[in-house]
Amino acid sequence: MEFDDKVPIYYQIKQYIYKEIIVNRLKPGAKLPAVRQLAVKLTVNVNTVQRALSELVNEGILKPQRGKGNFVTTDISVLVDLRRRVVEGQLAMVYDRLAELQITPDEMIQYLTNYIDQRKEQSHD
Amino acid sequence: MEFDDKVPIYYQIKQYIYKEIIVNRLKPGAKLPAVRQLAVKLTVNVNTVQRALSELVNEGILKPQRGKGNFVTTDISVLVDLRRRVVEGQLAMVYDRLAELQITPDEMIQYLTNYIDQRKEQSHD
DNA sequence: ACTAGTGTATTAGCTTACTGTTACACTATA
DNA sequence: TATAGTGTAACAGTAAGCTAATACACTAGT
């Protein structure tokens, strides 16, 4: 996994796990890989993984069991809320940044549509 | 100005100046505030401002003149390119992140449209 | 009981970003 | 020539993130 050195690794790991849960590769109640395994897989230190996980625990997304492992919560409402939170966060970010550039909502839709068309053409190679 | 502590301040200052140029509050050939003034205005150290500016100089966006000040380039093509680069960067970011969440291009447009409608309603208070 | 696998905590570096300070180089103006 | 305003550079100190290593606590299987 590649990290952006402009933002803390533990934070990017957090986002990564968000993603794995949202796309259901980590299902409710599922056991995460051991922290030491994760550290190897992500080529970071155990403490860095631990920091990310502890924040996820505080958010109620992970339920750790001493001696057993970390498990995704089975509280569906928490997970549904997570998805909404993350998606809306992304939308808010573009909206705000493009608005700062004095781009109107209508133009945003237009730009995104065009951009998607470009990507479609590029993938037709 | 408020900074996000997840990303370096000098980097955010860079983005800020990008924005000021793109929305034409800093016009081609215009003189920037003195580094010491900027430092006060942004409540950061002179060196931090300097680091941001030096990168902008390397990108050909600013033209410093010793003893006089920093000036926005008059090379319009550089500025046009800057705008394209920044806008497309934002579009690429949302696209990629939403795609990672297995959201289709059509859904992206739909979501963004809905989000914009929400914002309109909220501003009608 | 023992052992292996797990989460958790602590400590000691290292590096980078930021601050604070001082100094130097150049320009314009009085 | 003196002074104020500018960019630029260098230094020391602080804080945060990351690494490395060790130790402890708990669980499950042998």
Side-chain angles (χ1 to χ4, degrees), chain B residues 74-90:
Chain B
T74 53
D75 185 338
I76 304 298
S77 70
V78 169
L79 300 182
V80 169
D81 202 59
L82 171 65
R83 182 196 154 90
R84 206 184 44 70
R85 217 176 74 201
V86 171
V87 171
E88 205 163 294
Q90 292 302 321

Side-chain angles (χ1 to χ4, degrees), chain B residues 17-113:
Chain B
I17 297 180
Y18 279 172
K19 188 184 67 188
E20 293 295 301
I21 293 178
I22 290 174
V23 303
N24 215 37
R25 274 193 292 267
L26 278 176
K27 305 183 199 308
K31 179 177 175 301
L32 264 71
V35 286
R36 290 171 183 78
Q37 287 177 31
L38 272 179
V40 171
K41 178 182 174 187
L42 302 176
T43 61
V44 297
N45 191 272
V46 183
N47 297 327
T48 307
V49 172
Q50 185 60 28
R51 172 153 184 190
L53 296 191
S54 72
E55 293 201 2
L56 292 167
V57 170
N58 288 338
E59 295 174 16
I61 294 169
L62 295 186
K63 300 294 182 181
Q65 295 184 30
R66 247 191 138 81
K68 290 187 170 180
N70 281 290
F71 299 83
V72 179
T73 182
T74 53
D75 185 338
I76 304 298
S77 70
V78 169
L79 300 182
V80 169
D81 202 59
L82 171 65
R83 182 196 154 90
R84 206 184 44 70
R85 217 176 74 201
V86 171
V87 171
E88 205 163 294
Q90 292 302 321
L91 296 173
M93 177 174 294
V94 241
Y95 183 95
D96 289 340
R97 294 199 178 163
L98 293 183
E100 280 180 342
L101 300 181
Q102 297 182 347
I103 293 174
T104 66
D106 284 350
E107 288 169 333
M108 294 181 197
I109 303 281
Q110 191 58 52
Y111 286 2
L112 181 58
T113 305

Side-chain angles (χ1 to χ4, degrees), chain A residues 20-60:
Chain A
E20 293 296 300
I21 293 178
I22 289 175
V23 303
N24 214 38
R25 275 192 291 267
L26 278 176
K27 305 182 201 306
K31 180 178 174 301
L32 265 71
V35 287
R36 290 170 183 78
Q37 287 177 31
L38 272 178
V40 170
K41 178 183 174 190
L42 304 176
T43 62
V44 297
N45 190 271
V46 184
N47 298 328
T48 307
V49 173
Q50 186 60 28
R51 171 154 186 190
L53 296 192
S54 72
E55 294 202 0
L56 292 167
V57 170
N58 288 337
E59 296 174 15

Side-chain angles (χ1 to χ4, degrees), chain A:
Chain A
M1 183 166 174
E2 347 147 316
F3 294 105
D4 178 357
D5 64 359
K6 295 279 189 314
V7 29
I9 295 178
Y10 79 89
Y11 193 80
Q12 296 180 61
I13 294 177
K14 218 174 119 177
Q15 305 295 319
Y16 168 72
I17 297 179
Y18 278 172
K19 187 185 68 188
E20 293 296 300
I21 293 178
I22 289 175
V23 303
N24 214 38
R25 275 192 291 267
L26 278 176
K27 305 182 201 306
K31 180 178 174 301
L32 265 71
V35 287
R36 290 170 183 78
Q37 287 177 31
L38 272 178
V40 170
K41 178 183 174 190
L42 304 176
T43 62
V44 297
N45 190 271
V46 184
N47 298 328
T48 307
V49 173
Q50 186 60 28
R51 171 154 186 190
L53 296 192
S54 72
E55 294 202 0
L56 292 167
V57 170
N58 288 337
E59 296 174 15
I61 293 168
L62 295 186
K63 300 293 181 180
Q65 295 184 31
R66 247 190 137 81
K68 290 187 169 179
N70 281 289
F71 300 83
V72 178
T73 183
T74 53
D75 184 339
I76 305 297
S77 69
V78 169
L79 300 181
V80 169
D81 202 59
L82 172 65
R83 181 195 155 91
R84 207 184 44 70
R85 217 177 73 201
V86 171
V87 171
E88 205 164 295
Q90 293 302 321
L91 296 173
M93 177 174 295
V94 241
Y95 183 94
D96 289 340
R97 292 200 178 162
L98 292 183
E100 279 180 342
L101 300 181
Q102 297 182 345
I103 293 173
T104 66
D106 284 350
E107 287 168 332
M108 294 182 195
I109 305 280
Q110 190 59 50
Y111 285 3
L112 181 58
T113 305
N114 291 344
Y115 179 78
I116 289 174
D117 287 346
Q118 280 181 34
R119 300 269 297 217
K120 279 182 184 161
E121 290 177 11
Q122 285 175 2
S123 61
H124 291 177
D125 286 349

